[in-house]
């Protein structure tokens, strides 16, 4: 998709809401090898079916526009 500038937060929020509604976590594309220094992070390399109740979205955009959003299913 490339860098979407100002819309990156909206796109990630829509995709996160979709994954929460459908009950899956999408994998990170093209992540084939994980550096051992990052081994403590639970990387998603294959589609995971899971009921998601809480999700966090972080965006770090050009120019220092940084946001965090926590979504909770009620």
């Amino acid at each position: 998709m490339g860098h979407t500038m100002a819309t990156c937060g909206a796109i990630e929020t829509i995709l996160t809401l979709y994954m929460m509604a459908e009950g899956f976590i999408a994998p990170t594309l093209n992540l084939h090898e994980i550096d051992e220094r990052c081994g403590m992070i639970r990387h998603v390399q294959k589609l995971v079916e899971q009921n998601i109740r809480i999700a966090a979205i972080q965006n770090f955009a050009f120019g220092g526009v940084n946001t965090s959003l926590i979504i909770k299913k009620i």
Side-chain angles (χ1 to χ4, degrees):
M1 198 179 296
H3 199 289
T4 55
M5 301 298 278
T7 61
C8 65
I11 292 169
E12 288 184 23
T13 301
I14 292 166
L15 294 173
T16 300
L17 290 170
Y18 179 70
M19 286 188 285
M20 291 177 80
E22 297 298 319
F24 73 94
I25 301 171
T28 300
L29 296 178
N30 303 315
L31 179 60
H32 304 293
E33 294 182 29
I34 299 171
D35 189 300
E36 62 185 38
R37 294 172 291 182
C38 299
M40 76 296 261
I41 301 171
R42 292 176 24 188
H43 295 87
V44 179
Q45 292 182 281
K46 296 180 181 179
L47 189 126
V48 176
E49 292 187 25
Q50 185 169 337
N51 181 26
I52 305 166
R53 294 184 340 102
I54 300 173
I57 304 166
Q58 291 84 34
N59 287 285
F60 307 100
F62 293 125
V65 179
N66 303 321
T67 61
S68 294
L69 177 64
I70 306 295
I71 301 173
K72 181 177 180 181
K73 192 184 288 188
I74 302 176

Coordinates of all heavy atoms in Angstrom, one line a residue:
M1 N 0.8 -1.2 0.0 CA 0.0 0.0 0.0 C 0.9 1.3 0.0 O 0.4 2.3 -0.4 CB -0.9 0.0 1.2 CG -2.1 0.9 1.1 SD -3.2 0.9 2.6 CE -3.8 -0.8 2.5
G2 N 2.1 1.1 0.5 CA 3.0 2.3 0.5 C 2.6 3.2 1.7 O 1.8 2.9 2.5
H3 N 3.3 4.3 1.8 CA 3.0 5.3 2.9 C 1.8 6.1 2.5 O 1.8 6.7 1.4 CB 4.2 6.1 3.2 CG 4.1 6.7 4.6 ND1 3.2 7.7 4.9 CD2 4.8 6.5 5.7 CE1 3.4 8.0 6.1 NE2 4.3 7.3 6.7
T4 N 0.9 6.2 3.4 CA -0.4 6.9 3.0 C -0.5 8.2 3.7 O -1.6 8.8 3.8 CB -1.6 6.0 3.4 OG1 -1.4 5.6 4.8 CG2 -1.6 4.7 2.6
M5 N 0.6 8.7 4.3 CA 0.7 10.0 4.9 C -0.4 10.1 6.0 O -0.4 9.3 6.9 CB 0.6 11.1 3.9 CG 1.7 11.1 2.8 SD 3.4 11.3 3.5 CE 3.5 13.0 3.6
A6 N -1.3 11.1 5.9 CA -2.3 11.4 6.9 C -3.3 10.3 7.1 O -4.0 10.3 8.2 CB -2.9 12.7 6.6
T7 N -3.5 9.5 6.1 CA -4.6 8.5 6.3 C -4.2 7.2 6.9 O -5.0 6.3 7.1 CB -5.2 8.2 4.9 OG1 -4.2 7.6 4.1 CG2 -5.9 9.4 4.3
C8 N -2.9 7.0 7.3 CA -2.4 5.8 7.8 C -3.2 5.4 9.1 O -3.5 4.2 9.2 CB -0.9 5.8 8.0 SG -0.3 7.0 9.3
G9 N -3.5 6.3 9.9 CA -4.2 6.0 11.2 C -5.6 5.5 10.9 O -6.1 4.5 11.5
A10 N -6.3 6.1 9.9 CA -7.6 5.7 9.6 C -7.6 4.3 9.0 O -8.5 3.5 9.3 CB -8.3 6.7 8.6
I11 N -6.7 4.0 8.1 CA -6.6 2.7 7.4 C -6.3 1.6 8.4 O -7.0 0.6 8.5 CB -5.6 2.7 6.3 CG1 -6.0 3.6 5.2 CG2 -5.3 1.3 5.8 CD1 -4.9 3.9 4.1
E12 N -5.4 1.9 9.3 CA -5.0 0.9 10.3 C -6.2 0.7 11.3 O -6.4 -0.5 11.7 CB -3.8 1.3 11.1 CG -2.5 1.2 10.2 CD -1.3 1.5 11.0 OE1 -1.3 1.4 12.2 OE2 -0.3 1.8 10.4
T13 N -6.9 1.7 11.6 CA -8.1 1.5 12.5 C -9.2 0.7 11.8 O -9.7 -0.2 12.5 CB -8.7 2.9 12.9 OG1 -7.6 3.6 13.6 CG2 -9.9 2.8 13.8
I14 N -9.5 1.0 10.6 CA -10.5 0.2 9.8 C -10.1 -1.3 9.8 O -10.9 -2.2 10.0 CB -10.7 0.8 8.4 CG1 -11.4 2.1 8.5 CG2 -11.5 -0.2 7.6 CD1 -11.4 2.9 7.3
L15 N -8.8 -1.5 9.4 CA -8.3 -2.9 9.3 C -8.3 -3.6 10.7 O -8.7 -4.8 10.8 CB -6.9 -3.0 8.7 CG -6.8 -2.5 7.3 CD1 -5.4 -2.4 6.8 CD2 -7.6 -3.4 6.4
T16 N -8.0 -2.9 11.7 CA -8.0 -3.5 13.1 C -9.5 -3.8 13.5 O -9.7 -4.9 14.0 CB -7.4 -2.5 14.1 OG1 -6.0 -2.3 13.7 CG2 -7.4 -3.1 15.5
L17 N -10.4 -2.9 13.2 CA -11.8 -3.2 13.5 C -12.3 -4.4 12.7 O -13.1 -5.2 13.3 CB -12.7 -2.0 13.2 CG -12.5 -0.8 14.2 CD1 -13.2 0.4 13.6 CD2 -13.0 -1.1 15.6
Y18 N -11.9 -4.6 11.5 CA -12.3 -5.7 10.7 C -11.7 -7.0 11.3 O -12.4 -8.0 11.4 CB -11.8 -5.5 9.2 CG -12.1 -6.7 8.3 CD1 -13.4 -6.9 7.9 CD2 -11.1 -7.5 7.9 CE1 -13.7 -8.0 7.1 CE2 -11.4 -8.6 7.1 CZ -12.7 -8.8 6.7 OH -13.0 -9.9 5.9
M19 N -10.4 -7.0 11.7 CA -9.9 -8.2 12.3 C -10.6 -8.6 13.6 O -10.8 -9.7 13.9 CB -8.4 -8.0 12.5 CG -7.6 -8.1 11.2 SD -5.8 -8.1 11.5 CE -5.5 -6.4 11.9
M20 N -10.9 -7.5 14.4 CA -11.7 -7.8 15.6 C -13.0 -8.4 15.3 O -13.5 -9.3 16.0 CB -11.8 -6.5 16.4 CG -10.5 -6.0 17.0 SD -10.7 -4.4 17.9 CE -11.3 -5.0 19.4
A21 N -13.7 -7.9 14.3 CA -15.1 -8.4 14.0 C -15.0 -9.8 13.5 O -15.9 -10.6 13.8 CB -15.7 -7.4 13.0
E22 N -14.0 -10.1 12.7 CA -13.9 -11.4 12.0 C -13.2 -12.4 12.8 O -13.2 -13.6 12.5 CB -13.3 -11.3 10.6 CG -14.2 -10.4 9.7 CD -15.5 -11.0 9.4 OE1 -15.6 -12.2 9.2 OE2 -16.5 -10.2 9.4
G23 N -12.5 -12.0 13.9 CA -11.8 -12.9 14.7 C -10.5 -13.5 14.2 O -10.2 -14.7 14.2
F24 N -9.6 -12.7 13.6 CA -8.3 -13.1 13.1 C -7.3 -12.0 13.3 O -7.6 -10.9 13.4 CB -8.4 -13.6 11.7 CG -8.5 -12.5 10.7 CD1 -7.4 -12.0 10.1 CD2 -9.7 -12.0 10.3 CE1 -7.5 -11.0 9.1 CE2 -9.9 -11.0 9.4 CZ -8.7 -10.5 8.8
I25 N -6.0 -12.5 13.3 CA -4.9 -11.5 13.2 C -4.1 -11.8 12.0 O -3.7 -12.9 11.7 CB -4.0 -11.8 14.5 CG1 -4.7 -11.6 15.8 CG2 -2.8 -10.8 14.4 CD1 -4.0 -11.9 17.0
A26 N -4.0 -10.8 11.1 CA -3.3 -10.9 9.9 C -1.8 -11.0 10.1 O -1.3 -10.3 11.0 CB -3.6 -9.8 8.9
P27 N -1.1 -11.8 9.3 CA 0.4 -11.8 9.5 C 1.1 -10.6 8.9 O 0.6 -9.9 8.1 CB 0.8 -13.1 8.7 CG -0.3 -13.2 7.6 CD -1.6 -12.7 8.3
T28 N 2.3 -10.4 9.3 CA 3.2 -9.4 8.7 C 3.8 -10.0 7.5 O 4.4 -11.0 7.5 CB 4.4 -9.0 9.7 OG1 3.8 -8.5 10.9 CG2 5.3 -8.0 9.1
L29 N 3.5 -9.4 6.3 CA 4.0 -9.9 5.1 C 5.5 -9.8 4.9 O 6.1 -8.8 5.5 CB 3.3 -9.1 3.9 CG 1.8 -9.2 3.8 CD1 1.3 -8.4 2.7 CD2 1.4 -10.7 3.6
N30 N 6.1 -10.7 4.3 CA 7.5 -10.7 4.0 C 8.4 -10.8 5.2 O 9.6 -10.5 5.1 CB 7.9 -9.5 3.1 CG 7.1 -9.5 1.8 OD1 6.9 -10.5 1.2 ND2 6.6 -8.3 1.5
L31 N 7.9 -11.3 6.3 CA 8.7 -11.5 7.5 C 9.1 -12.9 7.6 O 8.3 -13.8 8.0 CB 7.9 -11.1 8.8 CG 8.6 -11.3 10.1 CD1 9.9 -10.4 10.2 CD2 7.7 -11.0 11.3
H32 N 10.3 -13.2 7.1 CA 10.7 -14.6 6.9 C 11.7 -15.0 8.0 O 11.7 -16.1 8.5 CB 11.4 -14.8 5.6 CG 10.5 -14.4 4.4 ND1 9.3 -15.1 4.2 CD2 10.5 -13.4 3.5 CE1 8.7 -14.6 3.1 NE2 9.4 -13.6 2.7
E33 N 12.6 -14.0 8.4 CA 13.5 -14.3 9.5 C 13.4 -13.3 10.6 O 13.4 -12.1 10.3 CB 15.0 -14.3 8.9 CG 15.2 -15.4 7.9 CD 16.6 -15.4 7.4 OE1 17.5 -14.9 8.1 OE2 16.8 -15.8 6.3
I34 N 13.4 -13.7 11.8 CA 13.3 -12.8 12.9 C 14.6 -12.7 13.6 O 15.2 -13.7 14.0 CB 12.2 -13.2 13.9 CG1 10.8 -13.2 13.2 CG2 12.1 -12.3 15.1 CD1 9.7 -13.9 14.0
D35 N 15.1 -11.5 13.8 CA 16.4 -11.3 14.5 C 16.3 -11.8 15.9 O 15.3 -11.6 16.6 CB 16.8 -9.8 14.5 CG 18.2 -9.6 15.0 OD1 18.4 -9.9 16.1 OD2 19.0 -9.0 14.2
E36 N 17.3 -12.5 16.4 CA 17.2 -13.1 17.7 C 17.0 -12.1 18.8 O 16.5 -12.3 19.9 CB 18.4 -14.0 18.0 CG 19.7 -13.2 18.0 CD 21.0 -14.0 18.1 OE1 21.0 -15.2 17.6 OE2 21.9 -13.6 18.8
R37 N 17.5 -10.8 18.5 CA 17.3 -9.7 19.5 C 15.8 -9.3 19.6 O 15.5 -8.6 20.6 CB 18.2 -8.5 19.1 CG 19.7 -8.8 19.2 CD 20.5 -7.7 18.6 NE 20.2 -7.7 17.2 CZ 20.8 -6.9 16.3 NH1 21.7 -6.0 16.8 NH2 20.6 -6.9 15.0
C38 N 15.0 -9.7 18.7 CA 13.6 -9.4 18.7 C 12.7 -10.7 19.0 O 11.5 -10.7 18.8 CB 13.1 -8.8 17.4 SG 14.0 -7.3 17.0
G39 N 13.4 -11.7 19.5 CA 12.7 -13.0 19.8 C 11.6 -12.9 20.8 O 10.7 -13.8 20.8
M40 N 11.7 -11.9 21.7 CA 10.7 -11.8 22.8 C 9.3 -11.2 22.3 O 8.3 -11.3 23.0 CB 11.2 -11.0 24.0 CG 11.2 -9.5 23.7 SD 12.3 -9.0 22.4 CE 13.7 -8.5 23.3
I41 N 9.3 -10.7 21.1 CA 8.1 -10.2 20.5 C 7.3 -11.3 19.8 O 7.9 -12.1 19.1 CB 8.4 -9.0 19.5 CG1 9.2 -7.9 20.2 CG2 7.1 -8.5 18.9 CD1 9.8 -6.9 19.3
R42 N 6.0 -11.3 20.1 CA 5.2 -12.4 19.4 C 4.9 -11.9 18.0 O 3.8 -11.4 17.8 CB 4.0 -12.7 20.3 CG 4.3 -13.3 21.6 CD 3.2 -13.5 22.5 NE 1.9 -13.6 21.9 CZ 0.8 -13.6 22.5 NH1 0.7 -13.6 23.8 NH2 -0.4 -13.7 21.9
H43 N 5.7 -12.2 17.1 CA 5.5 -11.8 15.7 C 4.5 -12.8 15.1 O 4.5 -14.0 15.3 CB 6.8 -12.0 14.9 CG 7.8 -11.0 15.3 ND1 8.7 -11.2 16.3 CD2 8.1 -9.7 14.8 CE1 9.5 -10.2 16.4 NE2 9.2 -9.3 15.6
V44 N 3.6 -12.3 14.3 CA 2.6 -13.1 13.6 C 3.1 -13.3 12.2 O 3.1 -12.4 11.3 CB 1.2 -12.3 13.6 CG1 0.2 -13.2 12.9 CG2 0.8 -12.0 15.0
Q45 N 3.4 -14.6 11.9 CA 3.9 -14.9 10.5 C 2.9 -15.7 9.7 O 3.1 -15.8 8.5 CB 5.2 -15.7 10.7 CG 6.4 -14.9 11.2 CD 7.6 -15.7 11.3 OE1 7.8 -16.5 12.3 NE2 8.5 -15.5 10.4
K46 N 1.9 -16.2 10.4 CA 0.8 -16.9 9.7 C -0.5 -16.4 10.3 O -0.6 -16.0 11.4 CB 0.9 -18.4 9.9 CG 2.1 -19.1 9.3 CD 2.2 -20.5 9.5 CE 3.4 -21.1 8.9 NZ 3.5 -22.6 9.1
L47 N -1.6 -16.5 9.4 CA -2.9 -16.0 9.9 C -3.3 -16.8 11.2 O -3.2 -18.0 11.2 CB -3.9 -16.2 8.8 CG -5.3 -15.6 9.2 CD1 -5.7 -14.7 8.0 CD2 -6.3 -16.6 9.4
V48 N -3.7 -16.0 12.2 CA -4.1 -16.6 13.5 C -5.6 -16.3 13.7 O -6.0 -15.2 13.6 CB -3.3 -16.0 14.6 CG1 -3.8 -16.5 16.0 CG2 -1.8 -16.2 14.4
E49 N -6.4 -17.4 13.9 CA -7.8 -17.2 14.2 C -7.9 -17.0 15.7 O -7.4 -17.9 16.5 CB -8.6 -18.4 13.8 CG -8.7 -18.5 12.3 CD -9.6 -19.6 11.8 OE1 -10.6 -19.9 12.6 OE2 -9.5 -20.1 10.7
Q50 N -8.4 -15.9 16.2 CA -8.4 -15.6 17.6 C -9.5 -14.5 17.9 O -9.6 -13.6 17.1 CB -7.1 -15.1 18.1 CG -7.0 -14.9 19.6 CD -5.6 -14.7 20.0 OE1 -4.6 -15.1 19.4 NE2 -5.4 -14.0 21.1
N51 N -10.2 -14.7 19.0 CA -11.2 -13.7 19.4 C -10.3 -12.5 20.0 O -9.6 -12.7 21.0 CB -12.1 -14.2 20.4 CG -13.1 -13.2 20.9 OD1 -13.5 -12.3 20.2 ND2 -13.6 -13.4 22.1
I52 N -10.5 -11.3 19.4 CA -9.7 -10.2 19.9 C -10.7 -9.2 20.6 O -11.6 -8.8 20.1 CB -9.1 -9.4 18.7 CG1 -8.2 -10.4 17.9 CG2 -8.3 -8.2 19.1 CD1 -7.9 -9.8 16.5
R53 N -10.3 -9.0 21.9 CA -11.2 -8.1 22.7 C -10.6 -6.7 22.8 O -11.3 -5.7 22.9 CB -11.3 -8.7 24.1 CG -12.1 -9.9 24.2 CD -12.4 -10.5 25.6 NE -11.5 -10.0 26.7 CZ -11.8 -9.0 27.5 NH1 -13.0 -8.5 27.5 NH2 -11.0 -8.6 28.5
I54 N -9.3 -6.6 22.8 CA -8.6 -5.3 23.0 C -7.5 -5.2 21.9 O -6.7 -6.2 21.7 CB -8.0 -5.1 24.4 CG1 -9.1 -5.2 25.4 CG2 -7.2 -3.8 24.5 CD1 -8.6 -5.2 26.9
A55 N -7.4 -4.1 21.3 CA -6.3 -3.9 20.3 C -5.7 -2.5 20.5 O -6.3 -1.6 20.9 CB -6.9 -4.0 18.9
A56 N -4.4 -2.4 20.2 CA -3.6 -1.2 20.2 C -3.1 -0.8 18.9 O -2.6 -1.7 18.2 CB -2.5 -1.3 21.2
I57 N -3.2 0.4 18.5 CA -2.7 0.9 17.2 C -1.8 2.0 17.5 O -2.2 3.0 18.2 CB -3.9 1.4 16.3 CG1 -4.9 0.2 16.1 CG2 -3.4 1.9 15.0 CD1 -6.2 0.7 15.5
Q58 N -0.6 2.0 16.9 CA 0.4 3.1 17.1 C 0.8 3.5 15.7 O 1.0 2.7 14.8 CB 1.6 2.6 17.8 CG 1.4 2.4 19.3 CD 0.9 1.0 19.5 OE1 1.3 0.0 18.9 NE2 0.1 0.8 20.5
N59 N 0.8 4.8 15.5 CA 1.2 5.4 14.2 C 2.4 6.4 14.5 O 2.3 7.2 15.3 CB 0.1 6.1 13.5 CG -0.9 5.2 13.0 OD1 -0.7 4.6 12.0 ND2 -2.1 5.0 13.7
F60 N 3.4 6.3 13.7 CA 4.5 7.2 13.8 C 4.8 7.7 12.4 O 5.4 7.1 11.5 CB 5.8 6.4 14.3 CG 5.5 5.7 15.6 CD1 5.2 4.3 15.6 CD2 5.5 6.4 16.8 CE1 5.0 3.7 16.8 CE2 5.2 5.8 18.0 CZ 4.9 4.4 18.0
A61 N 4.2 8.9 12.1 CA 4.2 9.4 10.7 C 5.3 10.5 10.6 O 6.0 10.9 11.5 CB 2.9 10.0 10.4
F62 N 5.5 10.9 9.3 CA 6.4 12.0 9.0 C 6.1 13.2 9.8 O 5.0 13.6 10.1 CB 6.4 12.3 7.5 CG 6.9 11.2 6.6 CD1 6.1 10.7 5.6 CD2 8.1 10.6 6.9 CE1 6.6 9.6 4.8 CE2 8.6 9.6 6.1 CZ 7.8 9.1 5.1
G63 N 7.2 14.0 10.1 CA 7.0 15.2 10.8 C 6.6 15.1 12.3 O 6.2 16.1 12.9
G64 N 6.8 14.0 12.9 CA 6.6 13.8 14.3 C 5.1 13.7 14.7 O 4.8 13.9 15.9
V65 N 4.2 13.3 13.8 CA 2.8 13.1 14.1 C 2.7 11.7 14.6 O 2.7 10.7 13.8 CB 1.9 13.4 12.9 CG1 0.5 13.1 13.2 CG2 2.1 14.8 12.3
N66 N 2.6 11.5 15.9 CA 2.5 10.2 16.5 C 1.2 10.1 17.3 O 0.8 11.0 18.0 CB 3.7 10.0 17.5 CG 5.0 10.2 16.8 OD1 5.2 9.8 15.7 ND2 6.0 10.9 17.5
T67 N 0.6 8.9 17.1 CA -0.7 8.7 17.8 C -0.8 7.2 18.3 O -0.1 6.4 17.8 CB -1.9 8.9 16.9 OG1 -1.8 8.0 15.8 CG2 -2.0 10.3 16.3
S68 N -1.5 7.1 19.4 CA -1.9 5.7 19.9 C -3.3 5.7 20.2 O -4.0 6.6 20.6 CB -1.1 5.5 21.2 OG 0.3 5.4 21.0
L69 N -3.9 4.5 19.8 CA -5.3 4.3 20.0 C -5.6 2.9 20.6 O -5.0 1.9 20.0 CB -6.1 4.4 18.6 CG -7.6 4.2 18.6 CD1 -8.3 5.2 19.4 CD2 -8.1 4.2 17.2
I70 N -6.4 2.8 21.6 CA -6.7 1.5 22.2 C -8.2 1.3 21.9 O -9.0 2.2 22.2 CB -6.5 1.5 23.7 CG1 -5.1 1.9 24.1 CG2 -6.9 0.2 24.3 CD1 -4.0 1.0 23.6
I71 N -8.5 0.1 21.4 CA -9.9 -0.2 21.0 C -10.3 -1.4 21.9 O -9.6 -2.4 21.9 CB -10.1 -0.5 19.5 CG1 -9.6 0.7 18.7 CG2 -11.5 -0.9 19.2 CD1 -9.6 0.4 17.2
K72 N -11.5 -1.4 22.5 CA -11.9 -2.5 23.3 C -13.4 -2.9 22.9 O -14.2 -2.0 22.7 CB -12.0 -2.1 24.8 CG -12.5 -3.2 25.7 CD -12.4 -2.8 27.1 CE -12.9 -3.9 28.0 NZ -12.9 -3.5 29.4
K73 N -13.5 -4.2 22.6 CA -14.9 -4.7 22.3 C -15.7 -4.7 23.5 O -15.3 -5.3 24.5 CB -14.7 -6.1 21.7 CG -16.0 -6.6 21.0 CD -15.8 -8.0 20.5 CE -14.9 -8.1 19.3 NZ -14.9 -9.4 18.7
I74 N -16.9 -4.2 23.4 CA -17.8 -4.2 24.6 C -18.8 -5.3 24.5 O -19.4 -5.6 23.5 CB -18.6 -2.8 24.7 CG1 -17.5 -1.7 24.8 CG2 -19.5 -2.8 25.9 CD1 -18.1 -0.3 24.9

